[in-house]
Amino acid sequence: TPAPFNRAPAPDSVTTGPIVGSRKVYAAPAAHPNIRVPFREIALSDPKEPPVRVYDPSGPYTEADARIDLRRGLPAIREGWIAGRGFDVVAGRALRPEDNGNLPDDRIAEACPAHRTLRAARDGRMATQYEFARAGIVTEEMVYVAHRENLAREGAHAEAAARLADGDSFGAALPDFVTPEFVRSEIARGRAIIPANINHPEVEPMAIGRNFLVKVNANIGNSAVTSGAAEEVEKLVWAIRWGADTVMDLSTGRNIHNIRSWIIRNSPVPIGTVPIYQALEKVGGDPVKLDWEVFKDTLIEQAEQGVDYFTIHAGVRLAHVPLTARRVTGIVSRGGSMMARWCLAHHRESFLYERFDEICAIMRRYDVSFSLGDGLRPGSIADANDASQFAELETLGELTKVAWAGGCQVMIEGPGHVPLHKIKVNMDKQLAECGEAPFYTLGPLTTDIAPGYDHITSGIGAAMIGWFGTAMLCYVTPKEHLGLPDRDDVKTGVITYRIAAHAADLAKGHPAARVRDDALSRARFDFRWEDQFNLALDPDTARRFHDETMPKDAHKVA
Amino acid sequence: TPAPFNRAPAPDSVTTGPIVGSRKVYAAPAAHPNIRVPFREIALSDPKEPPVRVYDPSGPYTEADARIDLRRGLPAIREGWIAGRGFDVVAGRALRPEDNGNLPDDRIAEACPAHRTLRAARDGRMATQYEFARAGIVTEEMVYVAHRENLAREGAHAEAAARLADGDSFGAALPDFVTPEFVRSEIARGRAIIPANINHPEVEPMAIGRNFLVKVNANIGNSAVTSGAAEEVEKLVWAIRWGADTVMDLSTGRNIHNIRSWIIRNSPVPIGTVPIYQALEKVGGDPVKLDWEVFKDTLIEQAEQGVDYFTIHAGVRLAHVPLTARRVTGIVSRGGSMMARWCLAHHRESFLYERFDEICAIMRRYDVSFSLGDGLRPGSIADANDASQFAELETLGELTKVAWAGGCQVMIEGPGHVPLHKIKVNMDKQLAECGEAPFYTLGPLTTDIAPGYDHITSGIGAAMIGWFGTAMLCYVTPKEHLGLPDRDDVKTGVITYRIAAHAADLAKGHPAARVRDDALSRARFDFRWEDQFNLALDPDTARRFHDETMPKDAHKVA
């Protein structure tokens, strides 16, 4: 029996203010003074040490004097850029009762009242970053991303060539300095994406691709009975505070549409969803009742709201399902198991696969990026790299080319549970099958025996696959397999994955990655404790651990 | 100003009882009914699922009805085996005031009153496992280790050949079944050691070698002002409870001799020390005052107490020290910096290097194994794999052969801070330089930017280097670089390193490693929650995380 359901309060406040020991700065490339790109700057106590500038996805929430009004949403920094591209202004789809779970009016949570102009591509005109890139056009988003990836430098680091030569990137092509033209060319080749729905003008553009810094995704999402918009917006803000580059909203409960409105209007990072989760709610929870119409309607609903990327499990084909029969853990992806159930019940090819062209047409209109879902990812070490997993990956490669032909940006989701020695073949096969489209993996978890510590079992795999070429790592929290993550779990998951991503950047020879390690190591060698804390991924924990165990007079001899 | 010093109480109790959901069992190989080898057995709720037997270093403390008397020490299970080998019974070195820091009598902590026969090798007779192995003799310790590594099986797993073929061990030679003769041959080739001082009859023999399960070391040790024997014995028992295979006592404070007596008499795992730490105490803390006599005296003192392996930093040669001059973090090994300081102050070659033959002769008499210290290990990503580190490693290779010629067992310590792409060359070079002697690494930490999370930065590196061939992984706790680990930190460090070691075993294709993963994954797939918890490395945390977040009626649908 579910707990009594009450109308959840609208969000009114979230965590704000700088991370201790640093300040938010905005910097513009010399040629584009109006493109203000955010960074976090850590000043050091030794006058010989320059401040260290780090990548910062946390949005305006970490400004020193953050003025946040959740009801108005974040500043629409892309509005002018988007308005200049000649999109249609549209009325949009009317809200339907099923969008919020068919709740009676007095139990529907309030939607975010922020108003934004709703747009869609004009027929015959370009809409996506992929299309602009292919046409040789450098968008403002590409300029923004280049400056961001360079950490606001105007030229290459003196040591960039040496760093690149010292690294091992397995055939990636990291430049010594990222130009807007380099960003364009990576997107045009399909090797990178900028997930940025034209109806999410608040997003601070970021790139996902093997030749950029490795990114981290965090998942949030309400469950049927436990949380509302206020909790979810706080989870978002908390996750990006510690370094999540994108956030997936995996909500499944009531009020899903209205909760999403608060998340998107207040998110400076791209928001991803799994539209089939909401489609399932609309058909009463029975996957057999899914059909193209309800799915299509959900895609449009979410695209108009501003979701930046959709996980679409179009690679789960009817013929793949029997390949999972002898698995230890069957199909563990929720979307994958829904589609497998549908295919078997109807004994038909997946409607996602059959209608893939139409899906592309819808997503292109709003520049929603594909995250082609790995519905057959292994759920255990025993099932890693099996026939069903790789059959689906081959289908995802086929669909990647269809999506590109349809003008869309694409990334590919990957496993899952994989032992150390079977990780690299996942990367190599993905690059080969999917034409170097960005890989976006969950972990992988390198053993099954440590529930409660799966941020670590998977952080190991994430560091390795990031080094091998994965562009974005989907975090796993300590609660994986056990329950819903709380605030501490979210932070632990994000920090663990920032470690994995950074270890990968270092190993690839990223020209700027070692700057922070070296600054922290010098601080350590000099016993500049405050600098060491402030340069840490988590200054609060580093400081607390030190203060709680070191006698005051032993500070200098540890 | 140090805190007021009071005579610390003698230990009187420690954590006992089984890990939840399992029971201690002892099993003997068919041919040796008196060699009782410990395991932990996890019974499962599904009658079709056989109980899972796991490796168990926790000693008698986890028996259901553990009767522990710390004043008497653990049962001397090796006493009969040792007594049969014809050692001299000796009076031993007399206790000296400096052994316990020159404390007045009323402030010396009580020594463990347990009495053991003190032995040393008889002139011209074999003493070490290495010497017995070279002579073709299979010792009881070798029989014990074989049964232990097989998890009490009497023959190979049905799937052993398939598992080995599925793995990738980089040239290791894991057998499908471990025989006593295999153990002997690995020890004779120098590829494995059984650290087991003839004066530590309480030890439950275990092997460290690339062709055995990957092992984990935990460090304990008092500091000058904060803890006594009671705390240290509890740390030992707590660390082995969660899976530490050996424990290093890095104590540096007063009462060091007497605290060590409690640790060794109550330890079922091999105990390692860094004798130069105590030698430094004896010369008042000034490394320049160290000399061969005080060091030699300390070696004999600790060998007679029963220490199983000594870290000896004999690879820090005078000529290596200038190679560290341009490092970011200099020399971070405490023993390494002491010897570097000594060499520079006297402008002389290291007395450890010059007297290495004599050191071998002392250690051989008691079968104390070498852990050749990496005094020049890198303390930052910037310093990884530099000239000084590798020069020392080459010297350690030279000393390995000297130690073998002297009849001693040897393992080699390794770094430290190393980015992902520079880990494998450490392993490859160590195997080549040191004739496949077991490698024993600290981490390595794969980035410097996460103080507070260095169990994770290093767990990533540990899993990888374990896969590549490292035989034992020295744990790192969350407090690394920040302070002294508490009880929770010790547990977190051990569990993290058990994950790394197990991930490595899986990847190497160890014939038995996947049994536990598969059993847990089947339990997960069947929603057998209790089985899932009990099979976990940390059942308590898995159960707590589940119970605190899952509504009771949602148990079956997570």
Side-chain angles (χ1 to χ4, degrees):
Chain A
T1 50
F5 186 86
N6 296 309
R7 183 163 164 154
D12 62 355
S13 74
V14 290
T15 301
T16 58
I19 289 181
V20 171
S22 62
R23 69 189 182 101
K24 187 96 172 186
V25 295
Y26 291 91
H32 299 272
N34 296 324
I35 295 183
R36 295 173 67 244
V37 183
F39 302 94
R40 187 157 73 82
E41 195 171 84
I42 305 163
L44 302 178
S45 65
D46 183 335
K48 293 189 301 295
E49 291 279 343
V52 174
R53 205 168 264 184
V54 301
Y55 194 100
D56 181 8
S58 64
Y61 301 101
T62 48
E63 292 176 0
D65 193 17
R67 277 165 308 206
I68 302 297
D69 181 348
L70 299 175
R71 303 182 70 82
R72 297 170 64 101
L74 293 177
I77 58 168
R78 295 171 65 222
E79 175 63 25
W81 312 341
I82 296 166
R85 288 174 195 160
F87 296 122
D88 281 334
V89 173
V90 297
R93 170 186 171 282
L95 192 67
R96 298 183 185 175
E98 62 265 34
D99 297 353
N100 282 305
N102 292 305
L103 287 175
D105 281 354
D106 65 347
R107 287 170 64 191
I108 294 184
E110 183 187 2
C112 180
H115 175 74
R116 298 287 182 271
T117 302
L118 180 57
R119 296 186 174 90
R122 191 169 295 168
D123 285 345
R125 297 279 293 271
M126 292 186 289
T128 70
Q129 299 287 329
Y130 181 75
E131 290 172 312
F132 291 123
R134 297 285 292 183
I137 296 167
V138 174
T139 63
E140 288 87 348
E141 287 85 353
M142 299 172 197
V143 173
Y144 190 107
V145 157
H147 204 52
R148 196 169 200 186
E149 292 281 334
N150 287 322
L151 304 179
R153 289 189 308 281
E154 296 291 341
H157 266 294
E159 293 183 330
R163 289 280 180 275
L164 283 164
D166 183 59
D168 180 359
S169 70
F170 299 98
L174 299 166
D176 61 358
F177 182 70
V178 179
T179 62
E181 168 57 23
F182 178 80
V183 177
R184 186 206 62 75
S185 98
E186 288 295 292
I187 292 171
R189 292 176 66 161
R191 297 206 298 203
I193 65 173
I194 297 179
N197 186 319
I198 63 174
N199 292 311
H200 189 188
E202 303 88 351
V203 94
E204 296 177 346
M206 54 78 71
I208 301 168
R210 181 160 64 125
N211 295 318
F212 300 105
L213 289 159
V214 176
K215 303 304 189 296
V216 170
N217 174 75
N219 296 328
I220 63 171
N222 74 328
S223 64
V225 295
T226 56
S227 62
E231 291 89 338
E232 295 311 312
V233 173
E234 174 60 23
K235 275 188 217 166
L236 160 74
V237 171
W238 186 244
I240 64 178
R241 180 177 184 83
W242 297 111
D245 294 291
T246 74
V247 167
M248 290 196 77
D249 172 18
L250 303 183
S251 292
T252 58
R254 320 284 181 94
N255 285 313
I256 188 170
H257 180 99
N258 286 359
I259 291 175
R260 190 185 304 123
S261 72
W262 290 96
I263 291 171
I264 293 172
R265 293 287 74 80
N266 290 288
S267 177
V269 303
I271 296 296
T273 62
V274 188
I276 207 163
Y277 290 0
Q278 187 177 10
L280 185 74
E281 301 281 332
K282 293 182 183 177
V283 297
D286 180 358
V288 178
K289 294 188 180 146
L290 287 166
D291 63 25
W292 167 241
E293 291 305 326
V294 72
F295 188 76
K296 173 184 172 183
D297 177 64
T298 306
L299 291 183
I300 294 169
E301 172 192 352
Q302 297 195 10
E304 288 184 350
Q305 283 191 293
V307 174
D308 300 287
Y309 62 92
F310 286 158
T311 294
I312 308 271
H313 296 95
V316 181
R317 297 191 59 179
L318 176 61
H320 299 158
V321 182
L323 299 175
T324 66
R326 297 177 59 183
R327 281 183 155 186
V328 170
T329 45
I331 301 177
V332 297
S333 153
R334 187 156 179 263
S337 65
M338 286 160 57
M339 288 312 301
R341 177 92 190 282
W342 189 94
C343 289
L344 290 181
H346 296 282
H347 202 74
R348 280 194 51 188
E349 186 56 272
S350 155
F351 64 86
L352 299 178
Y353 181 81
E354 292 197 326
R355 302 282 191 156
F356 195 72
D357 275 324
E358 291 171 76
I359 295 172
C360 292
I362 293 166
M363 289 171 66
R364 193 197 72 83
R365 287 188 75 205
Y366 310 93
D367 197 5
V368 180
S369 298
F370 275 99
S371 185
L372 288 173
D374 57 336
L376 302 179
R377 70 170 178 266
S380 57
I381 293 297
D383 295 342
N385 296 14
D386 73 349
S388 56
Q389 182 197 335
F390 283 164
E392 181 186 35
L393 182 55
E394 289 159 20
T395 300
L396 298 184
E398 172 196 330
L399 296 175
T400 299
K401 280 118 199 169
V402 176
W404 283 338
C408 294
Q409 304 192 86
V410 192
M411 63 180 167
I412 314 293
E413 296 184 7
H417 291 239
V418 185
L420 299 177
H421 65 305
K422 296 185 178 179
I423 292 176
K424 190 156 188 300
V425 71
N426 275 276
M427 188 71 233
D428 294 344
K429 188 171 173 68
Q430 189 273 341
L431 287 171
E433 297 289 344
C434 303
E436 299 190 83
F439 206 21
Y440 164 35
T441 62
L442 177 73
L445 288 73
T446 56
T447 167
D448 304 335
I449 68 169
Y453 299 81
D454 278 329
H455 58 306
I456 299 175
T457 67
S458 69
I460 294 167
M464 289 177 64
I465 206 163
W467 173 29
F468 299 151
T470 288
M472 185 158 76
L473 307 170
C474 181
Y475 89 164
V476 171
T477 79
K479 291 277 168 58
E480 182 77 11
H481 296 120
L482 298 171
L484 290 173
D486 64 19
R487 185 178 179 83
D488 288 341
D489 297 320
V490 167
K491 179 175 174 182
T492 300
V494 171
I495 298 282
T496 301
Y497 273 67
R498 284 258 62 97
I499 290 169
H502 186 75
D505 287 332
L506 279 175
K508 288 166 78 176
H510 189 285
R514 228 184 72 184
V515 170
R516 188 171 180 179
D517 295 74
D518 290 355
L520 193 147
S521 290
R522 287 192 299 270
R524 186 170 278 159
F525 189 67
D526 294 344
F527 294 106
R528 284 183 276 117
W529 284 101
E530 289 298 318
D531 289 351
Q532 191 181 152
F533 303 148
N534 294 340
L535 285 162
L537 283 178
D538 177 0
D540 300 335
T541 297
R543 186 174 280 105
R544 178 167 57 82
F545 279 5
H546 179 266
D547 291 352
E548 80 188 18
T549 63
M550 287 282 183
K552 292 292 176 200
D553 58 354
H555 273 207
K556 294 284 176 191
V557 295
Chain B
T1 51
F5 186 88
N6 295 309
R7 183 163 164 154
D12 62 356
S13 74
V14 289
T15 301
T16 58
I19 288 181
V20 171
S22 61
R23 70 189 182 99
K24 187 96 172 186
V25 296
Y26 290 90
H32 299 272
N34 295 325
I35 296 184
R36 295 173 66 244
V37 183
F39 302 94
R40 187 157 72 82
E41 194 171 86
I42 305 162
L44 302 177
S45 63
D46 182 336
K48 293 189 301 294
E49 291 280 343
V52 174
R53 205 168 263 184
V54 301
Y55 194 100
D56 181 7
S58 64
Y61 301 102
T62 48
E63 291 177 2
D65 194 17
R67 277 166 308 205
I68 302 297
D69 181 346
L70 299 175
R71 303 182 69 83
R72 297 171 64 101
L74 293 177
I77 59 168
R78 295 170 65 223
E79 175 63 26
W81 313 341
I82 296 165
R85 289 174 196 160
F87 297 121
D88 281 335
V89 174
V90 297
R93 170 186 172 282
L95 191 68
R96 299 183 184 175
E98 62 265 34
D99 298 352
N100 283 305
N102 292 305
L103 287 174
D105 280 355
D106 64 347
R107 288 169 63 191
I108 295 183
E110 184 187 2
C112 179
H115 175 75
R116 300 286 183 270
T117 303
L118 179 57
R119 296 186 174 91
R122 192 169 294 168
D123 286 344
R125 296 280 292 271
M126 292 186 290
T128 71
Q129 298 289 329
Y130 180 76
E131 290 173 312
F132 290 124
R134 299 284 292 183
I137 296 167
V138 174
T139 63
E140 288 87 347
E141 287 85 351
M142 298 173 197
V143 173
Y144 190 107
V145 158
H147 204 52
R148 196 168 200 186
E149 293 280 334
N150 287 321
L151 304 179
R153 291 187 308 279
E154 296 291 342
H157 266 293
E159 294 183 330
R163 289 281 179 274
L164 284 164
D166 184 59
D168 180 0
S169 69
F170 299 98
L174 299 165
D176 61 359
F177 182 71
V178 179
T179 62
E181 168 56 23
F182 179 80
V183 177
R184 186 206 61 75
S185 96
E186 288 295 292
I187 291 170
R189 292 177 64 161
R191 298 207 298 204
I193 65 173
I194 297 179
N197 186 321
I198 62 173
N199 292 312
H200 189 187
E202 302 89 349
V203 94
E204 296 176 347
M206 53 79 71
I208 301 168
R210 181 159 66 125
N211 295 317
F212 299 105
L213 288 159
V214 177
K215 303 304 188 297
V216 170
N217 174 74
N219 296 329
I220 62 172
N222 74 327
S223 64
V225 295
T226 57
S227 62
E231 291 89 339
E232 296 311 313
V233 173
E234 174 60 22
K235 276 188 215 166
L236 159 75
V237 170
W238 186 244
I240 63 178
R241 180 177 184 85
W242 297 110
D245 294 291
T246 74
V247 167
M248 289 196 77
D249 172 19
L250 304 183
S251 292
T252 58
R254 319 285 182 94
N255 284 313
I256 189 170
H257 180 100
N258 285 359
I259 291 175
R260 190 183 304 122
S261 73
W262 290 97
I263 292 171
I264 293 172
R265 293 286 75 79
N266 290 287
S267 176
V269 303
I271 296 295
T273 61
V274 188
I276 206 163
Y277 290 180
Q278 186 178 11
L280 185 74
E281 302 280 332
K282 292 182 183 177
V283 297
D286 180 358
V288 178
K289 295 188 180 145
L290 287 166
D291 62 25
W292 167 242
E293 290 306 324
V294 72
F295 188 76
K296 172 184 172 183
D297 176 63
T298 306
L299 291 183
I300 294 169
E301 172 191 352
Q302 297 196 10
E304 287 184 351
Q305 282 191 294
V307 174
D308 301 288
Y309 61 92
F310 286 157
T311 294
I312 308 272
H313 296 95
V316 181
R317 297 190 60 180
L318 175 62
H320 299 157
V321 182
L323 299 175
T324 66
R326 297 178 58 183
R327 281 183 154 186
V328 169
T329 45
I331 301 177
V332 296
S333 153
R334 188 157 178 263
S337 64
M338 286 159 57
M339 288 312 301
R341 177 92 190 283
W342 189 94
C343 289
L344 291 181
H346 296 280
H347 202 73
R348 278 193 52 187
E349 185 56 273
S350 155
F351 64 84
L352 299 178
Y353 181 80
E354 292 197 326
R355 302 282 192 157
F356 196 72
D357 275 324
E358 291 171 76
I359 295 172
C360 292
I362 293 166
M363 289 171 65
R364 193 197 73 84
R365 287 186 75 204
Y366 309 93
D367 197 5
V368 180
S369 297
F370 275 99
S371 185
L372 288 172
D374 56 336
L376 302 179
R377 69 171 180 266
S380 58
I381 293 296
D383 295 343
N385 295 15
D386 73 350
S388 56
Q389 184 197 333
F390 282 165
E392 181 186 35
L393 182 55
E394 288 159 21
T395 301
L396 299 183
E398 172 196 331
L399 297 175
T400 299
K401 281 117 198 170
V402 176
W404 283 339
C408 295
Q409 303 192 87
V410 191
M411 63 180 167
I412 314 293
E413 296 184 10
H417 292 238
V418 185
L420 300 177
H421 65 304
K422 296 185 178 178
I423 292 175
K424 189 155 187 300
V425 70
N426 275 277
M427 188 71 234
D428 294 344
K429 188 170 173 69
Q430 189 274 340
L431 288 171
E433 297 288 344
C434 303
E436 299 190 82
F439 205 21
Y440 164 35
T441 62
L442 177 73
L445 288 73
T446 56
T447 167
D448 304 335
I449 68 169
Y453 298 81
D454 277 329
H455 59 305
I456 299 176
T457 67
S458 69
I460 293 167
M464 289 176 65
I465 207 163
W467 173 29
F468 298 150
T470 289
M472 186 158 77
L473 307 170
C474 181
Y475 90 164
V476 171
T477 79
K479 291 276 169 58
E480 182 77 11
H481 296 119
L482 298 171
L484 290 172
D486 64 19
R487 185 179 178 83
D488 288 341
D489 297 320
V490 167
K491 180 175 173 183
T492 299
V494 171
I495 298 282
T496 300
Y497 272 68
R498 284 257 62 98
I499 289 169
H502 186 74
D505 287 332
L506 279 175
K508 288 167 77 176
H510 189 285
R514 228 183 73 184
V515 169
R516 188 171 180 180
D517 295 75
D518 290 355
L520 193 147
S521 291
R522 287 191 300 269
R524 186 169 277 158
F525 189 67
D526 294 344
F527 294 105
R528 285 183 277 116
W529 285 102
E530 289 298 319
D531 289 351
Q532 193 181 151
F533 303 148
N534 294 340
L535 285 162
L537 282 178
D538 177 0
D540 300 335
T541 296
R543 185 174 282 105
R544 178 167 57 81
F545 280 4
H546 179 266
D547 290 352
E548 79 189 16
T549 63
M550 288 282 183
K552 292 291 176 201
D553 58 355
H555 273 207
K556 293 284 175 192
V557 294

